[in-house]
Amino acid sequence: MARNDRNSPSSLSLNSLKNSSIKLLSNTDIQIAHIGRLLSTTSKLDTTLLTLSYTLHLFHSVLTRATTARLEAAATALISRLLFLNPPPSTTNASLKANILPLSLLLRLTSSTHALVTKVDDVRTFFRLWGLLGIWSAAASTYRSPPSDGALKALSWAQIGCGAGYQFLENGAYLASNRIVAFAPEKIGRWYTWSSRFWMAHVMLDFLRLARLRNLRNSRRDQESVGVSKGLEGVSEKERGDLAVEHVKEEAKWWRQACTSAAYAPMTVHYSFGGEGWWSLSEGQIAILGLFAGGMGLRDAWADTA
């Protein structure tokens, strides 16, 4: 009877549930440890916060649009009633769609999301106060081991200079906006604007760097193709396969960097001119571009900490 009890459907179900629970807990432990590694370094933490920030910006943009539409519909309906008119059909339809969530809840969600995204952005800016140390390290590394190509060497130093200018100005503006150092309010705005212009210059230089890298890589691949076609001795099939895999990785890395710079470019123009002009972006557009760039960075950071 005991053997039959152990083999009964209920016992099998309990064992299956126990095994599934153990597997779930094990997988959860692995994922939490992975997240811990992801958040253990400043650079990867910033990438995570960047993705979170733009996700919240996108959510806030959607909530703001929904709240505005709801308020406009309510105001139109109120004015129509005061004038003894029937509400327009469009207003009625908008009101029906907006009734999914109460207006008070929409307002609270919008306010809470704005407060949260403001805090995340502030934390990211605070962490960047030490960014000049990283720029110093990059400069020292470039000085000790400069790129062999002259154009890439010049572009590296130009980007280091732009990064230093951006970080110095942002640090000063941030400290002044928090009343740690004394700046006139208009000077704070100018420093933020000029820091964004250094960021813009850095991104534009990155396009030149990527173009030069592609040019050099194409030249190298042409030489490799000529060598392979001539049947040089000592080149095995395995080495050719490894070379092909390396080419694929280089190409994928190049496109990730190009797409990231392409996503940041409109944002840098927007902030460099104070968000004014035909090139200005809405919060939703900035969020989508930032989320695209941050998502690719987060994917790489997740893979690095696997």
Side-chain angles (χ1 to χ4, degrees):
M1 291 298 294
R3 182 180 302 173
N4 292 337
D5 290 342
R6 285 196 297 269
N7 294 330
S8 65
S10 59
S11 298
L12 293 175
S13 299
L14 288 174
N15 289 333
S16 177
L17 179 61
K18 181 180 179 180
N19 292 334
S20 299
S21 300
I22 293 174
K23 185 177 180 180
L24 177 62
L25 289 173
S26 177
N27 291 335
T28 302
D29 182 61
I30 292 173
Q31 296 302 322
I32 291 177
H34 195 169
I35 294 172
R37 293 192 299 272
L38 181 68
L39 302 179
S40 62
T41 60
T42 304
S43 61
K44 291 179 174 58
L45 175 60
D46 182 69
T47 301
T48 305
L49 291 176
L50 181 148
T51 307
L52 174 62
S53 171
Y54 287 117
T55 301
L56 291 172
H57 273 293
L58 183 59
F59 186 50
H60 180 259
S61 174
V62 172
L63 287 175
T64 301
R65 290 171 65 89
T67 304
T68 302
R70 184 70 182 276
L71 290 173
E72 289 177 350
T76 302
L78 178 61
I79 293 173
S80 298
R81 291 191 185 95
L82 291 176
L83 296 176
F84 303 99
L85 299 174
N86 292 325
S90 60
T91 302
T92 303
N93 293 336
S95 299
L96 291 174
K97 293 178 181 179
N99 281 335
I100 298 174
L101 289 176
L103 179 58
S104 58
L105 179 58
L106 277 175
L107 290 171
R108 286 199 299 271
L109 282 174
T110 304
S111 177
S112 298
T113 304
H114 180 264
L116 179 58
V117 75
T118 300
K119 180 58 66 177
V120 172
D121 289 343
D122 183 75
V123 169
R124 289 189 60 232
T125 307
F126 178 79
F127 282 156
R128 285 200 299 270
L129 287 174
W130 290 270
L132 286 172
L133 298 178
I135 294 171
W136 175 273
S137 298
S141 176
T142 303
Y143 179 77
R144 287 192 298 267
S145 303
S148 57
D149 180 69
L152 287 179
K153 180 179 179 180
L155 288 170
S156 295
W157 281 114
Q159 285 191 297
I160 289 171
C162 289
Y166 159 77
Q167 200 60 71
F168 175 78
L169 290 170
E170 187 193 60
N171 286 358
Y174 177 77
L175 293 175
S177 64
N178 285 276
R179 300 180 181 180
I180 298 173
V181 297
F183 275 7
E186 59 273 11
K187 188 175 181 180
I188 296 175
R190 285 199 304 269
W191 278 45
Y192 270 128
T193 299
W194 276 102
S195 70
S196 297
R197 290 173 182 174
F198 275 106
W199 180 28
M200 179 176 64
H202 186 280
V203 172
M204 299 310 167
L205 288 170
D206 204 49
F207 286 122
L208 296 178
R209 180 186 67 84
L210 290 168
R212 181 58 180 169
L213 281 175
R214 176 166 286 277
N215 181 265
L216 292 173
R217 189 166 67 246
N218 289 340
S219 299
R220 188 184 73 246
R221 288 182 180 179
D222 290 340
Q223 294 174 358
E224 291 172 351
S225 298
V226 171
V228 171
S229 64
K230 289 182 178 180
L232 294 177
E233 296 181 359
V235 180
S236 65
E237 289 295 329
K238 182 179 183 303
E239 290 173 334
R240 294 180 186 180
D242 293 341
L243 188 62
V245 171
E246 186 64 27
H247 287 172
V248 171
K249 290 181 178 179
E250 286 182 354
E251 189 72 8
K253 180 180 179 181
W254 189 92
W255 276 108
R256 285 197 302 272
Q257 293 178 349
C259 290
T260 299
S261 294
Y264 279 136
M267 298 168 59
T268 64
V269 175
H270 169 86
Y271 289 117
S272 294
F273 295 95
E276 299 177 353
W278 62 268
W279 50 75
S280 62
L281 302 172
S282 66
E283 182 185 21
Q285 291 170 329
I286 292 174
I288 291 172
L289 292 170
L291 190 56
F292 179 77
M296 287 191 293
L298 184 60
R299 184 183 65 176
D300 292 340
W302 184 263
D304 290 341
T305 54

